[in-house]
Amino acid sequence: MAMKNILALVVLVSILGVSVAIPSPNLDLSYYKSECRDAEEIVRKVTKEHVGPQKTLAAALLRMHFHDCFVRGCDASLLLKSPNNDAERDAIPNLSVRGYEVVDAAKSALEEKCPGVVSCADVLSLVARDAVVEIGGPWWSVPLGRRDGRISRKDEANLPSPFADIATLKKNFSDKGFTANELAVLSGAHTIGISTCGLVNPRIYNFTGNGDSDPAMNPSYVQELKQRCKPTDSTTTVDMDPGSVEKFDSHYFNAVSEKKGLFVSDSALLNDPETKLYIEKQAKLGGPTFNKDFADAMVKLGKLEVLTGNNGEIRAKCSVVN
Ligand code: HEM
Ligand SMILES: *[C@@H]1O[C@H](CO)[C@@H](O)[C@H](O)[C@H]1NC(C)=O
Ligand SMILES: *[C@@H]1O[C@H](CO)[C@@H](O)[C@H](O)[C@H]1NC(C)=O
Ligand SMILES: *[C@@H]1O[C@H](CO)[C@@H](O)[C@H](O)[C@H]1NC(C)=O
């Protein structure tokens, strides 16, 4: 487009007050090549050291990246601590407050080698990828150059609800630029990790207030869950994808297609033709495209509202602003 046309467009856009999608930010696969050549290798090594012996950390780290990106963009705002307990991380249920030490360890190792260069947002994005790889999931290239935010607010930590229906989920994801198909793909992250009974009990004990369970859930799965989750127990943990919680595979799609999705939001994927088609295809054929689809969706997730250029900062320590 000629410069004149771009100018005209900019003027038009500002007159109309239209909000346009910001052109894809300039993240770059070789961003640290000159200033911190070994950055990726350093992060990979630290992640492996931690996740190798404690596989359940992988889920926590993947979820951490998702949360960071969905709230205020991938700017490591989730890692900030607040003396008043009013930062994003204070809004997250206890259970998920795991894995921060891995990010901190990776950042320390980087600071030793090339101080002040690699952002915490990039560290988190790399750690999430390396953690997934460590438990048998796909590798994807992580474009780098994110900068760290200075603001983290508990009241902004609004994430899709595990009780959400399909219309709400589709809306929540399309608000962030994701298609329904990508919603199904990314939900596949629930092939690893755990939840707490507190998020499951309403579904199995008192779904409509009559002491019933969710009819969208397989009755034998309801019985299984009841064995583990007693009505007043909200803290015991349950596997999200029973039988393979520490392996990043496509089994989640089999579970969901058999009405054994743990959350309402997992089961809801059967209530839309597009997400249902994706679930059933991956289930039937053993996840033929899941690894590639997930990798692509994670790259996209990692670009959400990132700070680049002169915005934000490179934090010295991931839990505090400079
Ligand atoms: C579709 C909307 C989603 C909803 C409603 C949702 C909800 C949840 C909830 C409620 C938990 C359990 C947390 C707890 O008990 O403390 C959880 C766990 C988890 N979520 Fe999601 N999630 C969604 C999408 C995603 C996405 C897109 C990812 C990553 C790409 C993800 C990754 C995970 C992982 C790995 C866990 C296990 C965490 C662990 O073991 O510590 N989720 N999710
Ligand atoms: C979990 O959260 C509760 C209140 O929400 C708090 O009292 C408790 O100390 C927390 N536990 C951990 C391990 O952080
Ligand atoms: C998801 O969408 C619903 C319905 O529009 C909305 O009430 C809720 O706040 C949204 N949640 C997120 C995390 O965007
Ligand atoms: C089930 O829900 C109804 C309506 O909210 C409530 O009155 C009842 O006490 C609940 N029962 C149990 C066992 O929690």
Side-chain angles (χ1 to χ4, degrees), residues 70 156-161 164 167-169 171-173 175-176:
F70 245 61
E156 287 179 355
N158 180 25
L159 287 154
S161 160
T168 304
L169 291 168
K171 168 86 167 65
N172 293 161
F173 276 71
D175 283 350
K176 299 288 178 187

Side-chain angles (χ1 to χ4, degrees), residues 33-264:
K33 199 166 149 204
S34 61
E35 282 187 89
C36 196
R37 165 173 286 282
D38 299 328
E40 285 209 37
E41 182 52 25
I42 291 169
V43 174
R44 193 191 63 80
K45 193 162 162 279
V46 172
T47 308
K48 199 179 167 68
E49 276 164 14
H50 283 79
V51 176
Q54 209 187 333
K55 301 268 193 271
T56 63
L57 279 178
L61 291 164
L62 176 57
R63 184 166 192 243
M64 201 184 278
H65 187 35
F66 165 54
H67 281 203
D68 182 39
C69 293
F70 245 61
V71 181
R72 251 183 196 277
C74 317
D75 66 345
S77 49
L78 177 63
L79 303 177
L80 290 173
K81 275 187 190 157
S82 151
N84 309 322
N85 295 326
D86 58 1
E88 276 171 42
R89 68 191 274 173
D90 299 306
I92 299 174
N94 273 341
L95 167 67
S96 311
V97 183
R98 302 179 295 139
Y100 288 99
E101 72 276 14
V102 184
V103 179
D104 290 342
K107 174 68 173 173
S108 305
L110 286 166
E111 289 303 293
E112 245 168 62
K113 196 76 181 261
C114 19
V117 172
V118 183
S119 68
C120 295
D122 278 346
V123 173
L124 181 51
S125 200
L126 288 168
V127 164
R129 189 268 315 271
D130 294 340
V132 166
V133 170
E134 188 60 28
I135 56 165
W139 183 92
W140 58 89
S141 49
V142 178
L144 299 166
R146 297 168 190 77
R147 290 169 64 86
D148 299 324
R150 297 193 182 92
I151 300 167
S152 179
R153 298 172 50 130
K154 189 177 184 168
D155 58 13
E156 287 179 355
N158 180 25
L159 287 154
S161 160
F163 298 100
D165 62 17
I166 188 67
T168 304
L169 291 168
K170 280 169 68 176
K171 168 86 167 65
N172 293 161
F173 276 71
S174 80
D175 283 350
K176 299 288 178 187
F178 290 103
T179 63
N181 200 63
E182 287 167 331
L183 162 64
V185 171
L186 286 170
S187 296
H190 289 174
T191 187
I192 53 172
I194 52 179
S195 175
T196 44
C197 289
L199 295 171
V200 177
N201 283 354
R203 232 192 143 187
I204 59 177
Y205 287 114
N206 207 3
F207 190 63
T208 63
N210 295 320
D212 54 346
S213 59
D214 185 348
M217 203 177 222
N218 180 311
S220 66
Y221 186 44
V222 172
Q223 288 315 313
E224 242 174 77
L225 287 169
K226 282 183 172 173
Q227 302 273 311
R228 182 141 179 101
C229 294
K230 294 304 160 195
T232 54
D233 168 11
S234 60
T235 53
T236 297
T237 60
V238 277
D239 295 348
M240 307 258 276
D241 178 19
S244 74
V245 314
E246 290 183 11
K247 191 158 186 307
F248 197 97
D249 57 19
S250 64
H251 188 263
Y252 166 83
F253 299 106
N254 297 81
V256 172
S257 74
E258 291 161 17
K259 297 170 78 170
K260 294 179 182 172
L262 185 61
F263 298 138
V264 171

